[in-house]
Amino acid sequence: MAFAGPAPAQPAPTTGGAFAHAMTLMGEPKYPPDFKHFEYADPAAPKGGLVRLGAQGGFDNFNYVVSGLKGDLEGGITLIYDTLMVDSGDESFTSYGLVAEGVRVAEDASSVSYRLRPQARWHDGTPITPEDVIWSFDVLKANSPFYANYYQTVTKAEATGEREVTFRFGETGNRELPQVLGQLRVLPKHWWTAKDAQGRQRDATQTTLEIPLGSGPYRLAKFEPGRSATYERVADYWAKDLPVNVGRNNFGTLRNEYFRDSTVLIEALKGDLYDFRTENVARNWATAYGDFPAVKEGRLVKEEFPDRGNGNMQAFAFNLRKPKFADARVRRAFNLAMNYEEMNRALFFGLYKRIDSYYFGSELASSGMPSPEELALLEPLKDKIPASVFTTPYANPVNGTPEAVRANLREAVRLLKEAGYELRNGQMTNVASGEPLTVEFLEFQSVFERVILPFAAQLKLIGINSTLRVIDQAQYQNRLRGFDFDITTTSWPESLSPGNEQREYWGSLAADKPGSRNIVGIKDPAIDALVEKVIFAPDRAGVVAATRALDRVLLAHDYVVPQWASNVSRTLRWNRFARPAVLPRYGGSGFPTTWWYDEALATKTGAPR
């Protein structure tokens, strides 16, 4: 979130000449400069013990720089790098100093300066310097599609003092951008620009399985390529006593275990091969663990944690780069054909709600008719956006009864006919080209088969033949980077303070950049304009109005077939761990960051393998 033009009437406390310990887009920071620890972290938490996390697929890379370009990044590698600031788990979009002891934002938000802590060190004892920060920014922006788009308006990073680095912007008033830069993971320039043990020059643009140098609470200790990676807590970690770290990073050893597919992951959890799982499949939650002895005995704990403050769109996404999906009526026909109500009853055990917003689950989601504040943003774009935005609130089709299914399928056929298709020998066919309308669903999780096959059966009723292709995760990511798909499942997570990432999600400039999050391929001037309104909103009310207006236009184009979501996180864990009395408001369970190994519980449950 940011604002355009002159400085705001009420500048944030982090704006001006003095360095501040925190920055926020939501009023005042909760914690003062002399705070001791976050409320959701227990300073008395014991250190030590092992936690094992399960993951699907594999990895062949430890290079965070190229993780968006090639190779599968080992997920835990981010543990070894510190960021300039740390986000608070019980405030919305508020961060406190880590590598940086202070932050200063220009009055017009045309730049931000970070002052580094003198004690900040790499694991080899070398100080973290402004040169490290500058090199990290430059190499990430040059080699990662995500960061290239995220930082596109950051024109320069430069040292402006012995321990000070300043980022300068090509625009003014973007209040979110300074805070986004606080999330930058700092990489060691001296390590990446040196030679390895064999005398070979390291290359930050290439994948590597050399254990990299870090600065964070853990170091990578050992690994088996594609199978496991073990991280050990750094006993003399330079920042262990900072308020943002007290009571956090408590485990002595953290190990990521990789498994071939989702079915194997479930059996591995039951076999006590890893400790903690978030269960995203309703059928599994309802049926896969109920008769398992360890659950009945309390050794394997099922627990739900509330998800607050975040929005999300998970959907079947069309690839608009394919001409067959260019017409919104064709895309709407797919939504009409999907019998979500029957899916929720038969497959999901009634545990989900249908998503009806790109910001579903948050106050940013649009509903009803546009407010006057939204209309003020939408009216100037009236000739560029669907007329339905002004007349009809978005709604997904409702199926669930035979009568509703028949009515929606008839409407789908009508829309396809309007779009230039007709049924020929039971096949929906483009009248102009004679080409049948066929689609391929591309997935990397076989669990989607049980969802897509009923959907495919419904599509066949209106003459659309479809296939499902399930490939391994590496192939899947490569095909998505090259936009080589018809329809796939994807999601766009949203914070309460949307900003620069909206350009990456929906912006025209991102549509043709390999690896961008604009999976759909949206190129729409009205959406570009509304994204800028979100980024440069003057205040919280402006952010809400602009985001809801953007949401309405995105929905009206039927770019996706929305799927389903829940307002809780469903988890299972082997009962060896304890947690603070207070959980982070916006961090779900907080596991494993603020939890710890409990010897008494582990004795009852049994030690991990």
Side-chain angles (χ1 to χ4, degrees):
M1 180 183 75
F3 72 96
Q10 296 178 327
T14 55
T15 300
F19 279 91
H21 76 293
M23 61 193 315
T24 181
L25 295 180
M26 302 289 183
E28 298 282 342
K30 175 179 178 177
Y31 298 99
D34 60 349
F35 82 103
K36 304 303 181 185
H37 60 86
F38 291 132
E39 287 184 4
Y40 54 87
D42 187 342
K47 308 297 184 183
L50 167 68
V51 61
R52 304 158 302 164
L53 304 177
Q56 183 176 334
F59 66 91
D60 62 8
N61 181 31
F62 295 134
N63 187 352
Y64 179 74
V65 174
V66 300
S67 60
L69 290 175
K70 45 194 165 184
D72 290 322
L73 181 71
E74 203 298 298
I77 203 67
T78 56
L79 290 169
I80 76 169
Y81 298 121
D82 278 331
T83 51
L84 291 170
M85 308 282 282
V86 173
D87 290 341
S88 169
D90 53 4
E91 301 168 85
S92 180
F93 222 67
T94 301
S95 53
Y96 297 81
L98 179 53
V99 172
E101 65 180 2
V103 57
R104 179 175 61 199
V105 182
E107 289 287 349
D108 60 355
S110 61
S111 68
V112 61
S113 298
Y114 287 94
R115 187 173 63 203
L116 309 188
R117 296 184 190 274
Q119 69 268 39
R121 292 288 188 277
W122 298 104
H123 292 157
D124 65 359
T126 304
I128 299 176
T129 66
E131 287 68 31
D132 290 315
V133 178
I134 295 165
W135 185 86
S136 302
F137 168 80
D138 288 341
V139 76
L140 285 167
K141 186 176 180 181
N143 294 284
S144 166
F146 174 79
Y147 286 108
N149 198 68
Y150 213 34
Y151 298 151
Q152 62 178 289
T153 59
V154 184
T155 58
K156 188 178 184 181
E158 60 182 336
T160 49
E162 181 183 358
R163 291 185 287 109
E164 183 180 307
V165 60
T166 297
F167 298 92
R168 305 199 184 279
F169 311 147
E171 59 189 7
T172 59
N174 187 333
R175 290 197 299 131
E176 186 206 37
L177 192 53
Q179 195 150 349
V180 166
L181 286 161
Q183 299 167 348
L184 179 72
R185 294 190 188 281
V186 185
L187 309 174
K189 177 183 177 181
H190 73 283
W191 188 88
W192 277 104
T193 56
K195 295 180 179 179
D196 65 17
Q198 286 72 44
R200 295 173 300 211
Q201 180 63 50
R202 296 189 179 99
D203 187 347
T205 69
Q206 300 298 318
T207 59
T208 181
L209 282 175
E210 181 186 9
I211 293 178
L213 176 70
S215 63
Y218 290 89
R219 59 165 53 94
L220 178 58
K222 60 182 179 179
F223 64 93
E224 293 182 66
R227 299 186 62 182
S228 69
T230 301
Y231 295 83
E232 292 181 350
R233 188 171 180 272
V234 178
D236 60 349
Y237 171 43
W238 72 271
K240 62 184 175 64
D241 296 323
L242 291 182
V244 295
N245 281 329
V246 170
R248 302 170 80 235
N249 307 309
N250 300 314
F251 290 102
T253 304
L254 188 151
R255 188 163 74 229
N256 288 343
E257 301 280 4
Y258 286 83
F259 301 92
R260 181 167 36 187
D261 58 41
S262 56
T263 301
V264 176
L265 267 169
I266 292 174
E267 296 307 313
L269 179 73
K270 290 181 176 180
D272 197 6
L273 297 181
Y274 67 99
D275 293 302
F276 185 93
R277 172 177 174 82
T278 299
E279 182 53 78
N280 295 318
V281 178
R283 180 188 63 177
N284 293 341
W285 182 256
T287 66
Y289 311 99
D291 295 330
F292 188 56
V295 174
K296 294 180 179 180
E297 296 163 5
R299 294 186 298 120
L300 184 63
V301 179
K302 293 177 68 178
E303 187 170 3
E304 295 181 344
F305 296 92
D307 281 338
R308 302 187 187 96
N310 294 314
N312 186 52
M313 168 59 82
Q314 178 177 300
F316 291 115
F318 298 100
N319 185 357
L320 267 61
R321 303 165 189 85
K322 302 288 184 78
K324 58 188 171 185
F325 300 126
D327 195 308
R329 292 168 293 191
V330 173
R331 304 191 295 266
R332 182 66 177 183
F334 278 78
N335 199 345
L336 286 158
M338 190 177 81
N339 191 344
Y340 164 75
E341 286 70 25
E342 178 62 17
M343 287 181 180
N344 197 33
R345 184 193 67 80
L347 302 178
F348 307 149
F349 299 85
L351 294 174
Y352 289 125
K353 297 178 181 178
R354 185 82 194 271
I355 292 173
D356 58 2
S357 168
Y358 282 80
Y359 306 87
F360 180 81
S362 79
E363 67 169 331
L364 302 171
S366 61
S367 63
M369 297 300 293
S371 67
E373 294 77 13
E374 293 171 59
L375 287 173
L377 301 172
L378 294 167
E379 288 285 357
L381 303 169
K382 196 167 188 176
D383 61 336
K384 296 182 177 67
I385 60 181
S388 62
V389 168
F390 299 94
T391 62
T392 310
Y394 177 84
N396 288 304
V398 177
N399 283 291
T401 66
E403 296 77 16
V405 170
R406 287 194 293 270
N408 283 328
L409 290 177
R410 284 195 296 268
E411 176 65 7
V413 170
R414 185 189 71 80
L415 289 176
L416 288 165
K417 185 176 180 180
E418 284 186 3
Y421 287 86
E422 67 179 13
L423 279 169
R424 294 180 183 175
N425 299 319
Q427 177 78 55
M428 192 60 67
T429 305
N430 188 295
V431 174
S433 68
E435 291 290 323
L437 179 55
T438 62
V439 298
E440 178 187 81
F441 290 88
L442 184 69
E443 303 288 347
F444 71 90
Q445 298 184 79
S446 58
V447 69
F448 268 93
E449 181 176 1
R450 68 191 190 92
V451 171
I452 291 172
L453 291 184
F455 189 10
Q458 291 294 105
L459 291 172
K460 191 170 180 61
L461 293 175
I462 58 174
I464 300 175
N465 290 328
S466 60
T467 57
L468 168 62
R469 183 181 295 272
V470 180
I471 57 179
D472 68 60
Q473 193 167 10
Q475 288 179 299
Y476 177 79
Q477 290 298 332
N478 284 331
R479 285 189 62 173
L480 254 60
R481 289 179 193 122
F483 307 122
D484 180 18
F485 70 96
D486 284 348
I487 300 174
T488 191
T489 295
T490 193
S491 64
W492 294 274
E494 300 284 1
S495 74
L496 278 178
S497 186
N500 294 329
E501 77 287 344
Q502 304 300 301
R503 291 170 175 158
E504 170 78 359
Y505 288 171
W506 330 117
S508 297
L509 292 178
D512 296 323
K513 290 182 178 179
S516 88
R517 291 301 308 277
N518 189 346
I519 295 293
V520 174
I522 299 169
K523 292 182 179 180
D524 186 279
I527 288 174
D528 289 339
L530 289 170
V531 165
E532 297 306 299
K533 293 294 185 182
V534 172
I535 294 172
F536 292 97
D539 48 35
R540 183 61 187 170
V543 170
V544 173
T547 307
R548 289 177 178 174
L550 172 62
D551 187 31
R552 293 180 189 280
V553 177
L554 289 168
L555 290 167
H557 281 290
D558 287 296
Y559 290 132
V560 301
V561 177
Q563 292 184 354
W564 39 86
S566 173
N567 59 0
V568 297
S569 175
R570 301 183 176 98
T571 70
L572 299 103
R573 69 180 184 275
W574 284 94
N575 195 16
R576 303 183 179 104
F577 313 104
R579 64 179 186 240
V582 177
L583 294 178
R585 177 171 179 78
Y586 299 116
S589 66
F591 189 90
T593 306
T594 57
W595 293 51
W596 58 88
Y597 191 83
D598 188 302
E599 294 285 356
L601 289 175
T603 299
K604 294 179 181 179
T605 299
R609 298 183 183 180

